[in-house]
Amino acid sequence: MPGGAASGAGDLSRAGEAAAAAAAAGANPAELAAPVPLQAPREWRAIDFISDLHLSELMPATFAAFAAHLQHTEADAVFILGDLFELWVGDDARREPFAQRCVRALAEAAQKRSVAIMGGNRDFLMGAELLADCGARALPDPTLLMAFGQRVLLTHGDALCLADHAYQAFRRQVRQAAWLRAFLARPLAERLALAREIRKASDTRRQFDGEGSADVDASAAVALLRESAAPTLVHGHTHRPGTEAWAGGFVRHVLTDWDLDAGTRAEVLRLTPAGFSRVPPARTC
């Protein structure tokens, strides 16, 4: 059995060192799997996309806005494209007090509308038990959404930041089955302590996030869009919201991160039969 939280941080550091060595050796970046098709029900009239909420007990205003939006949005579905949580250390953490509040908010919303959740670079350890408690469906990365006559490719975005070779190698390392088994075999208290350490340690946190200047590789993204016969990409991760037209008739919509505790950022990208629009989160009536 691995050692304590300090040992866990050391394991992550060693994973990062190994990843850096692999990147320096010219290892190919991780590739996304083939997109999983998802057909929206004909009766849906609006779909909300959000990402990068980074929820934790230290973000009460952000959590409150998220919970209010889940309850009061006019959309038929809410798709969360990664990094719902600041860090997720395994589904046995879903019974922790703050996690329980998140589960309740999602489960209540799922009684009214469809909720779908994609893993991100911070919460890729979310699994079937958490999703079942939330009443949510898993949203594979990437997903090809077909809705309102459109084909839209959905991804968190980190796997397409190909210029950040060290991050891509680290990403590949910590998603290996052996690494996951070893990490999840640690006691929950140890994993939670490690999560607290990671929040404080900028170097370790950077391993999970990659370089802040990294952006989605447009050529790789367009190639994936062509293969999917989809003109539109929706992603998060970079925290640089906006809409950008690419050559060849392709468009990407980048989701914002949410921070209503230390900042004023919160926005929803909505898809309706009329197209995409950006709207503020729904508020309590």
Side-chain angles (χ1 to χ4, degrees):
M1 180 65 65
S7 173
D11 287 349
L12 287 172
S13 178
R14 285 190 290 276
E17 291 168 2
N28 290 327
E31 294 182 359
L32 283 168
V36 176
L38 174 60
Q39 178 67 59
R42 297 173 70 99
E43 63 270 18
W44 284 6
R45 307 312 295 164
I47 304 169
D48 285 350
F49 302 99
I50 57 177
S51 73
D52 298 279
L53 291 100
H54 296 278
L55 296 178
S56 78
E57 65 278 4
L58 302 178
M59 305 277 282
T62 304
F63 169 76
F66 167 67
H69 182 75
L70 287 178
Q71 284 298 314
H72 300 290
T73 178
E74 298 175 356
D76 301 286
V78 177
F79 284 13
I80 303 168
L81 303 190
D83 285 0
L84 171 62
F85 295 103
E86 174 67 1
L87 282 168
W88 189 254
V89 299
D91 281 3
D92 49 346
R94 70 191 188 280
R95 296 189 178 92
E96 293 297 302
F98 178 74
Q100 276 286 287
R101 293 177 62 198
C102 296
V103 167
R104 282 196 297 270
L106 288 159
E108 289 172 6
Q111 297 295 317
K112 300 179 178 181
R113 56 189 52 86
S114 180
V115 176
I117 304 176
M118 179 182 289
N121 53 292
R122 294 292 194 92
D123 53 13
F124 61 90
L125 288 171
M126 290 188 297
E129 292 176 320
L130 171 66
L131 295 176
D133 283 4
C134 294
R137 69 179 296 159
L139 199 61
D141 188 358
T143 289
L144 176 61
L145 173 66
M146 290 161 284
F148 315 129
Q150 295 201 42
R151 294 169 66 87
V152 182
L153 191 66
L154 311 176
T155 181
H156 179 57
D158 61 318
L160 286 169
C161 293
L162 301 183
D164 191 347
H165 300 296
Y167 169 72
Q168 291 300 330
F170 177 77
R171 182 183 189 276
R172 208 163 43 245
Q173 179 93 3
V174 298
R175 284 164 174 75
Q176 292 177 359
W179 191 95
L180 294 171
R181 282 195 301 270
F183 182 78
L184 293 173
R186 297 175 182 272
L188 175 59
E190 184 180 310
R191 283 178 274 133
L192 291 169
L194 175 58
R196 290 191 290 271
E197 280 191 33
I198 291 172
R199 289 178 195 165
K200 298 176 185 177
S202 59
D203 289 344
T204 307
R205 194 167 61 247
R206 193 177 300 115
Q207 288 178 342
F208 276 89
D209 291 342
E211 291 298 327
S213 60
D215 196 5
V216 161
D217 184 284
S219 296
V222 166
L224 191 59
L225 288 167
R226 287 189 191 278
E227 292 172 7
S228 307
T232 306
L233 176 70
V234 175
H235 73 85
H237 181 63
T238 63
H239 299 195
R240 293 195 287 270
T243 296
E244 181 180 5
W246 284 334
F250 298 99
V251 176
R252 73 158 167 171
H253 299 284
V254 186
L255 304 173
T256 188
D257 61 315
W258 285 38
D259 184 356
L260 294 172
D261 292 271
T264 58
R265 297 186 303 282
E267 184 183 65
V268 177
L269 181 69
R270 178 167 293 166
L271 176 61
T272 70
F276 285 95
S277 62
R278 295 180 184 269
V279 299
R283 299 184 184 275
T284 304
C285 297

